[in-house]
Amino acid sequence: MKNFRKNVHLVFYRAIVINEAAYGRTFGVGDNITREQLIVMLYNYASKFKKINCSFSPYALDKFSDKNSVSSYAQDAMEWAVTNDIISGKATNSGTKLDPLGNTTRAECAQMIKNFVKKFGK
């Protein structure tokens, strides 16, 4: 468990640094982070730092009722994350939603980072 926590901290820290360097986007220490912002950081970390092939299905978001809510800057990252099982939807009365603009809970953040580490390593 100690190594997993260390890997999660390392992945998250590197993702923030890559995101800031690549796009000039910064997140304040006390700011909330949306689900799509977290995915963009992981995507940037994977593609720019780890040099992972970040291919994805352009139809990955089609199964989500709120697919049109994904911000344009996050489109590729979200498709990549769904294709690679890093993020999944939330079941609602109106269908399965990604909730890209919703704030990420601690549990969701931990799960997404765990899925990333399991799939791609630290």
Side-chain angles (χ1 to χ4, degrees):
M1 187 59 134
K2 183 179 177 183
N3 283 338
F4 176 74
R5 277 193 293 245
K6 181 180 174 184
N7 290 343
V8 167
H9 287 265
L10 185 60
V11 167
F12 196 67
Y13 173 75
R14 287 180 180 166
I16 289 172
V17 170
I18 294 295
N19 198 60
E20 290 176 358
Y23 295 99
R25 292 188 178 104
T26 59
F27 304 103
V29 174
D31 291 353
N32 291 327
I33 185 169
T34 66
R35 289 164 57 88
E36 71 180 15
Q37 288 172 331
L38 176 58
I39 291 301
V40 166
M41 288 193 302
L42 292 173
Y43 177 77
N44 289 340
Y45 172 69
S47 64
K48 296 180 185 340
F49 183 78
K50 292 201 49 118
K51 306 293 187 206
I52 292 171
N53 176 0
C54 289
S55 58
F56 55 84
S57 166
Y59 308 105
L61 304 184
D62 286 352
K63 62 185 174 184
F64 300 102
S65 60
D66 61 345
K67 67 181 179 182
N68 294 326
S69 298
V70 175
S71 300
S72 59
Y73 80 90
Q75 188 74 33
D76 288 353
M78 291 294 278
E79 289 174 340
W80 166 80
V82 169
T83 299
N84 288 284
D85 298 320
I86 294 168
I87 190 172
S88 60
K90 299 176 177 184
T92 68
N93 291 338
S94 57
T96 304
K97 294 186 175 185
L98 268 176
D99 192 20
L101 303 177
N103 288 329
T104 306
T105 67
R106 289 180 184 187
E108 290 170 339
C109 181
Q111 186 64 55
M112 287 183 238
I113 293 173
K114 178 183 175 186
N115 294 346
F116 178 90
V117 170
K118 186 177 178 180
K119 177 91 177 186
F120 300 109
K122 60 181 179 176

